[in-house]
């Protein structure tokens, strides 16, 4: 599993860092709101509009920083998860399905009545070769014949 996770571990660590930043910004908001009420509104000599404006701007800037951290968290989480899942799916498909086909290819090339000719076999070898090249980036040397137009192995 580390084979897949290792490549994208920096993205996952960045995502966790941005999540901590978002949570931290959210946790700072109630403290600033209490300071606005205590120091700006309930002051003994009357309300102080300068403190209210200053702390209000700090709250707005913290909210925008929280939005930025949350957005970056989403980007890095999706980058890491999508790429890890893609690597796992790619390996499962290429190694389990396509390699499994080439172990006994004759069973895939026969018709229901048990017959099958050489043209059927060449066609399915070509399809298998095309899938290997497209999905796995693998060069194969087993296909050939006059039906194999896209695969020059």
């Amino acid at each position: 599993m580390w084979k897949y996770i290792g490549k994208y571990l920096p993205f996952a660590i960045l995502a966790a860092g941005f999540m901590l930043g978002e949570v931290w910004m959210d946790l700072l908001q109630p403290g600033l709101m209490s300071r606005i009420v205590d120091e700006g509104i309930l002051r003994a000599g009357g309300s102080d509009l300068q403190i209210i404006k200053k702390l209000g701007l700090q709250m707005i800037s913290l909210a925008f920083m929280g939005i930025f951290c949350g957005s970056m968290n989403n980007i890095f989480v999706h980058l890491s998860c999508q790429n890890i899942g893609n690597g796992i799916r790619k390996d499962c498909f290429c190694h389990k399905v396509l390699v499994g086909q080439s172990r006994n290819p004759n069973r895939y090339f026969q018709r229901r009545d048990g017959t099958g000719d050489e043209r059927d076999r060449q066609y399915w070898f070509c399809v298998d070769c095309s899938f290997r090249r497209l999905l796995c980036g693998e060069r194969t040397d087993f296909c050939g014949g006059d039906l194999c137009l896209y695969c020059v192995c």
Side-chain angles (χ1 to χ4, degrees):
M1 207 55 183
W2 281 106
K3 169 182 153 184
Y4 305 108
I5 296 173
K7 294 180 201 173
Y8 304 105
L9 190 61
F11 291 141
I13 291 170
L14 280 172
F18 280 118
M19 176 55 78
L20 288 174
E22 179 185 13
V23 169
W24 187 44
M25 296 303 137
D26 289 341
L27 291 175
L28 289 176
Q29 295 282 344
L32 286 176
M33 184 58 116
S34 70
R35 283 184 60 199
I36 287 174
V37 171
D38 292 342
E39 297 173 15
I41 297 173
L42 298 178
R43 191 168 208 178
S47 61
D48 188 359
L49 207 52
Q50 291 299 325
I51 291 178
I52 295 173
K53 285 181 183 178
K54 177 183 155 194
L55 294 175
L57 287 174
Q58 285 179 1
M59 282 184 68
I60 290 171
S61 64
L62 286 177
F64 280 118
M65 287 173 58
I67 290 170
F68 173 76
C69 287
S71 299
M72 295 305 289
N73 171 47
N74 286 334
I75 289 170
F76 285 115
V77 161
H78 289 107
L79 272 174
S80 61
C81 291
Q82 289 288 327
N83 286 319
I84 290 168
N86 184 37
I88 292 171
R89 281 188 303 276
K90 195 177 200 181
D91 279 354
C92 284
F93 184 76
C94 292
H95 295 294
K96 302 274 189 230
V97 175
L98 292 179
V99 172
Q101 283 182 7
S102 62
R103 287 191 184 131
N104 185 10
N106 289 331
R107 68 181 177 160
Y108 295 101
F109 307 126
Q110 303 226 346
R111 296 187 180 126
R112 289 183 188 224
D113 59 0
T115 64
D117 62 1
E118 185 61 29
R119 292 182 74 75
D120 289 338
R121 188 164 293 132
Q122 286 178 358
Y123 172 75
W124 286 108
F125 272 141
C126 181
V127 168
D128 191 32
C129 178
S130 298
F131 270 122
R132 286 175 187 258
R133 286 190 133 193
L134 179 69
L135 299 174
C136 308
E138 184 178 304
R139 287 193 59 83
T140 55
D141 56 355
F142 62 84
C143 70
D146 55 348
L147 291 177
C148 197
L149 300 175
Y150 300 107
C151 178
V152 180
C153 302

